[in-house]
Amino acid sequence: MALELCMPQALRHPNAQIRKLAPGVVLSAGVGALAVLGGRAEHVLFGAEWLEPLVLAILFGAVLRTLWAPGAQFSAGIRFSAKTVLEIAIVLLGASVSAQTLLAVGPELLIGVVAVVALVVPGSYLLGRAFGLPARMALLIACGNGICGNSAIAAVAPVIEADSDDVSASIAFTAVLGVAVVLGLPFLGAALHMPAFHYGILSGLTVYAVPQVLAAAAPMGTAAIQIGTLVKLVRVLMLGPITVVLSLLAAGLPAEGRRVRDASDVEQAPARKGFMPPLFILGFLAMIALRSFGAIPQVALAPMDHAASVFTVIAMAALGLGVDARAVAAAGPRVIATVTLSLVLLVVLGLGLLLLIGG
Protein backbone atom coordinates (compact mmCIF):
# COMPACT_ATOMS: atom_id res chain seq x y z
CA MET A 1 0.00 0.00 0.00
CA ALA A 2 2.83 2.39 0.93
CA LEU A 3 4.60 1.61 -2.34
CA GLU A 4 1.44 2.40 -4.31
CA LEU A 5 1.11 5.78 -2.61
CA CYS A 6 4.66 6.68 -3.66
CA MET A 7 3.95 5.95 -7.32
CA PRO A 8 2.92 8.72 -9.74
CA GLN A 9 -0.82 8.96 -10.41
CA ALA A 10 -0.39 7.85 -14.04
CA LEU A 11 1.40 4.64 -12.97
CA ARG A 12 -1.09 3.81 -10.24
CA HIS A 13 -4.01 3.86 -12.66
CA PRO A 14 -2.55 3.32 -16.16
CA ASN A 15 -5.82 2.19 -17.70
CA ALA A 16 -7.64 5.28 -16.44
CA GLN A 17 -4.86 7.48 -17.84
CA ILE A 18 -5.07 5.75 -21.22
CA ARG A 19 -8.85 6.20 -21.33
CA LYS A 20 -8.38 9.87 -20.47
CA LEU A 21 -5.80 10.49 -23.22
CA ALA A 22 -7.16 8.20 -25.95
CA PRO A 23 -9.89 10.43 -27.46
CA GLY A 24 -7.60 13.42 -28.00
CA VAL A 25 -4.66 11.32 -29.19
CA VAL A 26 -6.85 9.44 -31.68
CA LEU A 27 -8.34 12.72 -32.93
CA SER A 28 -4.86 14.23 -33.38
CA ALA A 29 -3.61 11.10 -35.13
CA GLY A 30 -6.65 11.13 -37.44
CA VAL A 31 -6.02 14.73 -38.46
CA GLY A 32 -2.34 13.87 -38.96
CA ALA A 33 -3.25 10.94 -41.19
CA LEU A 34 -5.41 13.24 -43.34
CA ALA A 35 -2.43 15.59 -43.64
CA VAL A 36 -0.19 12.74 -44.85
CA LEU A 37 -2.83 11.76 -47.42
CA GLY A 38 -3.02 15.41 -48.47
CA GLY A 39 0.73 15.47 -49.03
CA ARG A 40 0.53 12.34 -51.18
CA ALA A 41 -2.33 13.87 -53.16
CA GLU A 42 -0.16 16.94 -53.82
CA HIS A 43 2.61 14.69 -55.09
CA VAL A 44 0.24 12.88 -57.46
CA LEU A 45 -1.38 16.06 -58.75
CA PHE A 46 1.62 18.40 -58.91
CA GLY A 47 4.67 16.14 -58.78
CA ALA A 48 5.83 17.61 -55.45
CA GLU A 49 4.64 18.35 -51.91
CA TRP A 50 4.49 22.15 -51.89
CA LEU A 51 3.02 22.11 -48.39
CA GLU A 52 4.50 19.37 -46.21
CA PRO A 53 2.19 17.11 -44.14
CA LEU A 54 3.51 18.89 -41.05
CA VAL A 55 2.05 22.19 -42.30
CA LEU A 56 -1.12 20.55 -43.59
CA ALA A 57 -1.64 18.96 -40.16
CA ILE A 58 -1.75 22.39 -38.53
CA LEU A 59 -4.01 23.79 -41.23
CA PHE A 60 -6.43 20.84 -41.09
CA GLY A 61 -6.46 20.93 -37.29
CA ALA A 62 -7.15 24.68 -37.26
CA VAL A 63 -9.95 24.33 -39.81
CA LEU A 64 -11.57 21.54 -37.79
CA ARG A 65 -11.22 23.61 -34.61
CA THR A 66 -12.89 26.55 -36.36
CA LEU A 67 -15.83 24.43 -37.55
CA TRP A 68 -16.17 22.31 -34.42
CA ALA A 69 -14.82 22.82 -30.89
CA PRO A 70 -13.68 19.43 -29.44
CA GLY A 71 -15.38 18.60 -26.13
CA ALA A 72 -13.71 18.34 -22.75
CA GLN A 73 -13.06 14.61 -23.25
CA PHE A 74 -10.53 15.45 -25.99
CA SER A 75 -8.58 18.10 -24.07
CA ALA A 76 -6.10 15.93 -22.17
CA GLY A 77 -5.16 13.86 -25.22
CA ILE A 78 -4.73 16.93 -27.42
CA ARG A 79 -2.44 18.53 -24.81
CA PHE A 80 -0.49 15.26 -24.48
CA SER A 81 -0.04 15.07 -28.26
CA ALA A 82 1.03 18.69 -28.57
CA LYS A 83 3.63 18.40 -25.79
CA THR A 84 4.77 14.89 -24.87
CA VAL A 85 4.46 13.35 -28.33
CA LEU A 86 6.34 16.34 -29.77
CA GLU A 87 9.13 15.98 -27.21
CA ILE A 88 9.54 12.29 -28.08
CA ALA A 89 9.77 13.26 -31.76
CA ILE A 90 12.50 15.81 -31.01
CA VAL A 91 14.57 13.22 -29.13
CA LEU A 92 14.28 10.81 -32.07
CA LEU A 93 15.24 13.63 -34.45
CA GLY A 94 18.67 13.75 -32.80
CA ALA A 95 19.48 10.37 -34.30
CA SER A 96 19.32 11.86 -37.81
CA VAL A 97 22.43 14.01 -37.38
CA SER A 98 25.97 13.31 -36.25
CA ALA A 99 29.10 15.22 -35.32
CA GLN A 100 30.86 13.69 -38.35
CA THR A 101 28.89 16.19 -40.42
CA LEU A 102 31.01 18.95 -38.91
CA LEU A 103 34.23 17.32 -40.07
CA ALA A 104 32.93 16.96 -43.63
CA VAL A 105 32.21 20.67 -44.00
CA GLY A 106 35.66 21.98 -43.10
CA PRO A 107 36.59 24.53 -40.42
CA GLU A 108 36.29 27.73 -42.48
CA LEU A 109 32.82 27.02 -43.81
CA LEU A 110 31.72 25.51 -40.50
CA ILE A 111 32.63 28.66 -38.58
CA GLY A 112 30.88 30.75 -41.25
CA VAL A 113 27.63 28.76 -41.04
CA VAL A 114 27.64 28.91 -37.24
CA ALA A 115 28.30 32.67 -37.38
CA VAL A 116 25.42 33.23 -39.84
CA VAL A 117 22.98 31.33 -37.60
CA ALA A 118 24.31 33.15 -34.52
CA LEU A 119 23.63 36.50 -36.21
CA VAL A 120 20.31 35.65 -37.87
CA VAL A 121 18.52 34.37 -34.77
CA PRO A 122 18.96 37.50 -32.61
CA GLY A 123 18.62 39.74 -35.68
CA SER A 124 15.30 38.17 -36.65
CA TYR A 125 14.11 38.34 -33.06
CA LEU A 126 14.80 42.07 -32.95
CA LEU A 127 12.93 42.51 -36.23
CA GLY A 128 9.92 40.72 -34.80
CA ARG A 129 9.96 42.85 -31.68
CA ALA A 130 10.28 45.99 -33.81
CA PHE A 131 7.08 44.97 -35.62
CA GLY A 132 5.33 44.51 -32.29
CA LEU A 133 5.27 40.70 -32.15
CA PRO A 134 5.18 39.01 -28.73
CA ALA A 135 8.61 37.89 -27.53
CA ARG A 136 7.88 34.18 -27.91
CA MET A 137 6.46 34.47 -31.41
CA ALA A 138 9.46 36.59 -32.45
CA LEU A 139 11.78 33.87 -31.11
CA LEU A 140 9.89 31.13 -32.93
CA ILE A 141 10.22 32.96 -36.25
CA ALA A 142 13.88 33.75 -35.58
CA CYS A 143 14.73 30.10 -34.91
CA GLY A 144 12.60 28.89 -37.82
CA ASN A 145 14.38 31.20 -40.27
CA GLY A 146 17.84 30.74 -38.82
CA ILE A 147 17.92 26.97 -38.27
CA CYS A 148 15.50 24.59 -39.94
CA GLY A 149 12.06 26.07 -40.42
CA ASN A 150 9.11 24.12 -39.03
CA SER A 151 11.23 21.60 -37.13
CA ALA A 152 13.06 24.36 -35.25
CA ILE A 153 9.80 26.13 -34.42
CA ALA A 154 8.32 22.87 -33.14
CA ALA A 155 11.43 22.12 -31.06
CA VAL A 156 11.78 25.60 -29.55
CA ALA A 157 8.08 26.06 -28.73
CA PRO A 158 7.98 23.87 -25.59
CA VAL A 159 11.31 25.24 -24.39
CA ILE A 160 10.03 28.83 -24.29
CA GLU A 161 6.45 27.78 -23.41
CA ALA A 162 5.04 29.36 -26.55
CA ASP A 163 1.30 29.59 -27.12
CA SER A 164 -0.23 27.29 -29.75
CA ASP A 165 -1.50 30.29 -31.72
CA ASP A 166 2.02 31.68 -31.95
CA VAL A 167 3.39 28.30 -33.06
CA SER A 168 0.73 27.84 -35.73
CA ALA A 169 1.06 31.35 -37.13
CA SER A 170 4.87 31.06 -37.24
CA ILE A 171 4.81 27.71 -39.02
CA ALA A 172 2.06 28.69 -41.45
CA PHE A 173 3.69 31.89 -42.69
CA THR A 174 7.22 30.48 -42.63
CA ALA A 175 6.08 27.46 -44.65
CA VAL A 176 4.49 29.60 -47.36
CA LEU A 177 7.58 31.76 -47.66
CA GLY A 178 9.74 28.63 -47.69
CA VAL A 179 8.01 27.49 -50.87
CA ALA A 180 8.63 30.92 -52.40
CA VAL A 181 12.34 30.64 -51.58
CA VAL A 182 12.59 27.25 -53.28
CA LEU A 183 11.03 28.70 -56.42
CA GLY A 184 12.94 31.99 -56.42
CA LEU A 185 16.45 31.02 -55.32
CA PRO A 186 17.50 29.44 -58.65
CA PHE A 187 16.70 32.74 -60.40
CA LEU A 188 18.95 34.60 -57.93
CA GLY A 189 21.76 32.09 -58.47
CA ALA A 190 21.47 32.42 -62.24
CA ALA A 191 21.34 36.23 -62.08
CA LEU A 192 24.54 36.31 -60.00
CA HIS A 193 26.24 33.64 -62.21
CA MET A 194 27.07 31.60 -59.12
CA PRO A 195 29.11 28.38 -59.49
CA ALA A 196 27.44 25.20 -58.26
CA PHE A 197 29.53 24.95 -55.08
CA HIS A 198 28.68 28.45 -53.87
CA TYR A 199 25.05 28.20 -54.93
CA GLY A 200 24.81 25.00 -52.89
CA ILE A 201 26.14 26.85 -49.84
CA LEU A 202 23.55 29.60 -50.33
CA SER A 203 20.79 27.01 -50.70
CA GLY A 204 21.82 25.23 -47.51
CA LEU A 205 21.94 28.53 -45.63
CA THR A 206 18.60 29.95 -46.72
CA VAL A 207 16.17 27.09 -47.45
CA TYR A 208 14.29 25.66 -44.48
CA ALA A 209 13.80 21.90 -44.89
CA VAL A 210 16.24 19.32 -46.27
CA PRO A 211 13.84 18.18 -49.05
CA GLN A 212 13.40 21.83 -50.03
CA VAL A 213 17.19 22.25 -50.18
CA LEU A 214 17.32 19.37 -52.65
CA ALA A 215 14.62 21.01 -54.77
CA ALA A 216 16.26 24.45 -54.67
CA ALA A 217 19.78 23.14 -55.41
CA ALA A 218 18.79 20.66 -58.15
CA PRO A 219 18.88 23.20 -61.04
CA MET A 220 22.61 23.69 -60.40
CA GLY A 221 23.48 19.99 -60.40
CA THR A 222 24.80 17.27 -58.08
CA ALA A 223 27.61 19.34 -56.53
CA ALA A 224 25.13 22.01 -55.43
CA ILE A 225 22.84 19.36 -53.94
CA GLN A 226 25.67 17.73 -51.96
CA ILE A 227 27.11 20.90 -50.44
CA GLY A 228 23.63 22.35 -49.87
CA THR A 229 22.57 19.28 -47.90
CA LEU A 230 25.79 19.34 -45.88
CA VAL A 231 25.42 23.01 -44.94
CA LYS A 232 21.77 22.44 -44.10
CA LEU A 233 22.67 19.61 -41.70
CA VAL A 234 25.15 21.88 -39.93
CA ARG A 235 22.29 24.35 -39.40
CA VAL A 236 20.20 21.51 -37.96
CA LEU A 237 23.00 20.70 -35.52
CA MET A 238 22.71 24.26 -34.18
CA LEU A 239 19.23 23.40 -32.91
CA GLY A 240 20.63 21.66 -29.83
CA PRO A 241 22.88 24.47 -28.53
CA ILE A 242 20.31 27.16 -29.29
CA THR A 243 17.47 25.37 -27.49
CA VAL A 244 19.71 24.87 -24.46
CA VAL A 245 20.54 28.59 -24.43
CA LEU A 246 16.86 29.50 -24.83
CA SER A 247 15.91 27.22 -21.95
CA LEU A 248 18.26 29.24 -19.75
CA LEU A 249 16.79 32.54 -20.93
CA ALA A 250 13.12 31.53 -21.11
CA ALA A 251 12.30 32.59 -17.55
CA GLY A 252 13.21 36.17 -18.40
CA LEU A 253 10.94 36.45 -21.45
CA PRO A 254 7.99 38.86 -21.16
CA ALA A 255 4.65 37.18 -20.44
CA GLU A 256 2.87 39.23 -23.14
CA GLY A 257 0.72 37.33 -25.61
CA ARG A 258 0.46 34.20 -23.48
CA ARG A 259 -2.97 32.91 -22.55
CA VAL A 260 -3.97 31.31 -19.27
CA ARG A 261 -6.80 28.96 -20.13
CA ASP A 262 -7.91 28.12 -16.61
CA ALA A 263 -6.69 27.97 -13.04
CA SER A 264 -5.65 24.31 -13.33
CA ASP A 265 -3.12 25.21 -16.00
CA VAL A 266 -1.36 27.48 -13.52
CA GLU A 267 -1.56 25.07 -10.61
CA GLN A 268 -0.21 22.14 -12.60
CA ALA A 269 2.58 24.07 -14.34
CA PRO A 270 5.91 22.71 -13.10
CA ALA A 271 8.19 25.17 -11.39
CA ARG A 272 11.36 26.02 -13.31
CA LYS A 273 14.34 24.50 -11.52
CA GLY A 274 17.39 26.70 -11.86
CA PHE A 275 19.11 26.42 -15.21
CA MET A 276 18.34 22.76 -15.98
CA PRO A 277 17.58 22.32 -19.70
CA PRO A 278 14.41 20.34 -20.53
CA LEU A 279 14.94 16.57 -20.52
CA PHE A 280 13.91 16.20 -24.17
CA ILE A 281 16.68 18.62 -25.23
CA LEU A 282 19.22 16.56 -23.27
CA GLY A 283 17.77 13.50 -25.00
CA PHE A 284 18.17 15.21 -28.39
CA LEU A 285 21.85 15.95 -27.67
CA ALA A 286 22.38 12.43 -26.31
CA MET A 287 21.00 10.97 -29.55
CA ILE A 288 23.46 13.07 -31.57
CA ALA A 289 26.30 11.77 -29.39
CA LEU A 290 25.15 8.15 -29.73
CA ARG A 291 24.88 8.54 -33.52
CA SER A 292 28.35 10.12 -33.65
CA PHE A 293 29.94 7.21 -31.77
CA GLY A 294 28.11 4.59 -33.84
CA ALA A 295 26.09 3.36 -30.85
CA ILE A 296 22.82 3.41 -32.81
CA PRO A 297 22.56 0.44 -35.20
CA GLN A 298 22.35 1.48 -38.84
CA VAL A 299 19.23 -0.61 -39.30
CA ALA A 300 17.44 1.43 -36.61
CA LEU A 301 18.08 4.86 -38.16
CA ALA A 302 15.37 4.74 -40.84
CA PRO A 303 12.60 3.54 -38.46
CA MET A 304 13.59 6.18 -35.90
CA ASP A 305 13.50 8.90 -38.53
CA HIS A 306 10.09 7.69 -39.72
CA ALA A 307 8.77 7.58 -36.14
CA ALA A 308 10.01 11.13 -35.55
CA SER A 309 8.15 12.30 -38.66
CA VAL A 310 4.92 10.54 -37.63
CA PHE A 311 5.02 11.88 -34.08
CA THR A 312 5.76 15.41 -35.30
CA VAL A 313 2.76 15.36 -37.67
CA ILE A 314 0.50 14.17 -34.83
CA ALA A 315 1.84 16.91 -32.56
CA MET A 316 1.29 19.57 -35.23
CA ALA A 317 -2.28 18.36 -35.71
CA ALA A 318 -2.81 18.72 -31.96
CA LEU A 319 -1.41 22.25 -32.08
CA GLY A 320 -3.80 23.06 -34.91
CA LEU A 321 -6.71 21.74 -32.85
CA GLY A 322 -5.87 24.30 -30.19
CA VAL A 323 -5.60 27.27 -32.54
CA ASP A 324 -7.74 30.36 -32.40
CA ALA A 325 -7.95 31.32 -36.09
CA ARG A 326 -8.80 34.92 -35.20
CA ALA A 327 -5.54 35.34 -33.29
CA VAL A 328 -3.54 33.93 -36.21
CA ALA A 329 -5.27 36.24 -38.69
CA ALA A 330 -4.68 39.26 -36.46
CA ALA A 331 -0.94 38.53 -36.37
CA GLY A 332 -0.74 38.05 -40.14
CA PRO A 333 0.71 41.33 -41.49
CA ARG A 334 3.30 41.63 -38.72
CA VAL A 335 4.36 38.01 -39.07
CA ILE A 336 4.64 38.30 -42.86
CA ALA A 337 6.81 41.41 -42.53
CA THR A 338 9.03 39.77 -39.91
CA VAL A 339 9.47 36.50 -41.81
CA THR A 340 10.21 38.31 -45.09
CA LEU A 341 12.79 40.70 -43.65
CA SER A 342 14.36 37.86 -41.64
CA LEU A 343 14.80 35.93 -44.86
CA VAL A 344 16.34 38.98 -46.55
CA LEU A 345 18.78 39.23 -43.62
CA LEU A 346 19.63 35.54 -44.01
CA VAL A 347 20.29 35.88 -47.76
CA VAL A 348 22.45 38.99 -47.25
CA LEU A 349 24.54 37.26 -44.58
CA GLY A 350 24.83 34.17 -46.79
CA LEU A 351 26.12 36.22 -49.70
CA GLY A 352 28.52 37.96 -47.35
CA LEU A 353 29.86 34.57 -46.23
CA LEU A 354 30.42 33.57 -49.84
CA LEU A 355 32.46 36.73 -50.40
CA LEU A 356 34.59 35.97 -47.34
CA ILE A 357 35.38 32.43 -48.45
CA GLY A 358 36.08 33.48 -52.02
CA GLY A 359 32.65 33.36 -53.64
Side-chain angles (χ1 to χ4, degrees):
M1 181 66 178
L3 178 60
E4 182 180 347
L5 291 175
C6 294
M7 296 174 65
Q9 183 73 18
L11 294 181
R12 274 186 272 163
H13 304 286
N15 291 335
Q17 187 71 4
I18 291 173
R19 287 195 297 271
K20 181 181 179 182
L21 296 177
V25 172
V26 171
L27 177 62
S28 300
V31 174
L34 287 176
V36 172
L37 291 176
R40 291 179 180 175
E42 284 184 278
H43 192 80
V44 171
L45 294 174
F46 309 113
E49 292 182 357
W50 295 110
L51 289 178
E52 298 173 318
L54 187 150
V55 179
L56 291 176
I58 283 187
L59 295 177
F60 290 173
V63 169
L64 180 59
R65 172 65 178 81
T66 302
L67 299 175
W68 167 70
Q73 70 270 28
F74 295 97
S75 299
I78 291 175
R79 286 198 300 269
F80 176 83
S81 299
K83 184 179 186 298
T84 305
V85 172
L86 176 59
E87 292 175 353
I88 294 171
I90 293 168
V91 172
L92 293 174
L93 182 65
S96 66
V97 293
S98 72
Q100 279 75 27
T101 303
L102 303 177
L103 301 176
V105 171
E108 186 181 42
L109 181 55
L110 171 62
I111 293 172
V113 173
V114 172
V116 167
V117 173
L119 290 172
V120 165
V121 172
S124 298
Y125 172 76
L126 293 175
L127 281 171
R129 295 297 281 163
F131 280 104
L133 293 182
R136 286 167 173 78
M137 179 181 278
L139 263 181
L140 292 175
I141 293 173
C143 293
N145 271 19
I147 306 173
C148 51
N150 301 332
S151 298
I153 293 172
V156 168
V159 175
I160 64 174
E161 300 176 2
D163 187 89
S164 59
D165 289 341
D166 292 347
V167 176
S168 300
S170 302
I171 286 182
F173 291 113
T174 300
V176 172
L177 192 61
V179 173
V181 174
V182 172
L183 297 175
L185 199 63
F187 293 100
L188 177 62
L192 297 177
H193 305 288
M194 298 178 69
F197 180 79
H198 295 103
Y199 177 77
I201 294 174
L202 185 64
S203 299
L205 279 172
T206 55
V207 179
Y208 298 143
V210 173
Q212 291 179 334
V213 171
L214 300 180
M220 293 291 184
T222 303
I225 292 175
Q226 291 174 342
I227 189 62
T229 302
L230 209 54
V231 169
K232 172 61 188 170
L233 290 177
V234 173
R235 286 172 68 198
V236 173
L237 285 173
M238 292 290 290
L239 182 60
I242 283 183
T243 48
V244 170
V245 171
L246 290 179
S247 72
L248 306 182
L249 302 176
L253 288 175
E256 58 181 326
R258 296 179 63 196
R259 294 176 297 159
V260 177
R261 291 173 174 79
D262 52 53
S264 63
D265 286 347
V266 178
E267 293 168 2
Q268 296 174 7
R272 190 177 296 278
K273 299 178 180 179
F275 295 105
M276 181 67 178
L279 288 178
F280 72 93
I281 294 301
L282 298 179
F284 173 84
L285 297 175
M287 280 292 189
I288 293 178
L290 291 173
R291 172 72 186 275
S292 302
F293 289 108
I296 301 177
Q298 192 69 27
V299 69
L301 294 178
M304 291 174 74
D305 183 63
H306 180 69
S309 298
V310 170
F311 289 161
T312 304
V313 169
I314 293 173
M316 292 303 101
L319 282 174
L321 288 167
V323 164
D324 182 348
R326 292 168 297 181
V328 175
R334 293 176 296 161
V335 175
I336 291 172
T338 302
V339 171
T340 302
L341 290 179
S342 296
L343 179 62
V344 171
L345 174 63
L346 185 58
V347 172
V348 169
L349 289 174
L351 292 174
L353 175 61
L354 292 179
L355 291 175
L356 288 176
I357 64 175

